[in-house]
Amino acid sequence: DELPQLSSEPAGPKPQTRTYTVRRGDSLEKIALQFYGRRTAAEKIFTANRDRLKKRNYLREGMKIVLP
């Protein structure tokens, strides 16, 4: 009899991330309010997109950002 292989991956669902396509007039605060219900979540979005955003509100129409 073979023993089942143990996985080193943590049990449970993986954290969900979504992407959002920036629209004209968007800001991180506006997106945070829309998806999280509070403007303060903008910092969370900025942190998740440090590789894409040079400055806090350097958003361009059509840019895809991650919503953690």
Side-chain angles (χ1 to χ4, degrees), residues 18-21 23 26 29-38 41 45 67-68:
R18 299 173 280 187
T19 58
Y20 175 77
T21 303
R23 297 180 190 159
D26 275 346
E29 287 80 12
K30 184 176 176 182
I31 296 166
L33 188 59
Q34 179 181 347
F35 287 93
Y36 300 102
R38 61 188 198 285
I45 298 171
L67 300 177

Side-chain angles (χ1 to χ4, degrees), residues 25-56:
D26 275 346
S27 68
L28 289 180
E29 287 80 12
K30 184 176 176 182
I31 296 166
L33 188 59
Q34 179 181 347
F35 287 93
Y36 300 102
R38 61 188 198 285
R39 292 182 185 276
T40 56
E43 189 62 35
K44 185 170 153 176
I45 298 171
F46 177 64
T47 300
N49 291 280
R50 294 293 301 234
D51 58 330
R52 294 176 182 89
L53 301 174
K54 295 175 184 177
K55 295 182 181 175
R56 200 165 191 291

